[in-house]
């Protein structure tokens, strides 16, 4: 059974940085597509970034391009999201997700069967 546990969220001021981590167990990370999603109160869940099993391909939402970086350490089975130049609109619960197949839109959360519990990111102005 795949298990995902996020950490690293917190409260920061606008312009600050955070690094989220997602520790995975129950699978070999090399075979899974991984993604970060977020959901703000009253808003729909949105895809933030995704990475291919080997890390050679990454995807980003337009709203975070140039500010966020997704990466993974397969030896540690850990996914990361480095967030910089954070803005109040980045405030949300952040989730990591995993899927073992390729296809469809990377930002479609319905394609990911495995999810973590989430970590809260709050950015104040």
């Amino acid at each position: 059974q795949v298990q995902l546990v996020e950490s690293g969220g917190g409260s920061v001021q606008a312009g600050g940085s955070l690094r989220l981590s997602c520790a995975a167990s129950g699978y070999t990370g090399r075979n899974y597509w991984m993604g970060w999603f977020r959901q703000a109160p009253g808003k729909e869940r949105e895809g933030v970034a995704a990475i291919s099993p080997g890390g050679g391909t990454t995807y980003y939402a337009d709203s975070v391009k140039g500010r966020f970086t997704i990466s993974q350490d397969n030896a540690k089975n850990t996914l990361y999201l480095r967030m910089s130049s954070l803005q109040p609109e980045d405030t949300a619960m952040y989730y990591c997700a995993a899927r073992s197949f390729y296809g469809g839109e990377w930002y479609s959360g319905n394609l990911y069967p495995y999810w973590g519990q989430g970590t809260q990111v709050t950015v104040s102005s």
Side-chain angles (χ1 to χ4, degrees):
Q1 180 69 21
V2 175
Q3 292 186 328
L4 305 172
V5 179
E6 303 95 335
S7 61
S11 297
V12 297
Q13 290 190 330
S17 299
L18 283 173
R19 189 181 76 162
L20 305 183
S21 299
C22 173
S25 60
Y27 79 104
T28 301
R30 296 180 184 87
N31 300 320
Y32 281 71
W33 287 78
M34 304 294 294
W36 286 100
F37 292 77
R38 67 186 181 186
Q39 188 167 21
K43 294 187 177 181
E44 292 187 355
R45 181 179 60 195
E46 64 171 334
V48 175
I51 190 168
S52 62
T57 302
T58 57
Y59 302 93
Y60 294 94
D62 288 342
S63 59
V64 306
K65 280 181 181 177
R67 300 188 299 122
F68 290 11
T69 302
I70 188 172
S71 62
Q72 61 188 8
D73 184 335
N74 285 333
K76 296 182 179 179
N77 275 356
T78 302
L79 177 72
Y80 301 101
L81 184 68
R82 176 68 178 174
M83 306 184 295
S84 60
S85 301
L86 283 162
Q87 299 301 316
E89 52 265 34
D90 294 316
T91 295
M93 185 71 79
Y94 283 71
Y95 301 89
C96 70
R99 59 172 175 161
S100 60
F101 62 93
Y102 173 75
E105 302 296 344
W106 68 266
Y107 50 81
S108 179
N110 293 335
L111 298 178
Y112 294 76
Y114 306 108
W115 291 83
Q117 294 299 309
T119 185
Q120 177 69 36
V121 172
T122 303
V123 184
S124 58
S125 58

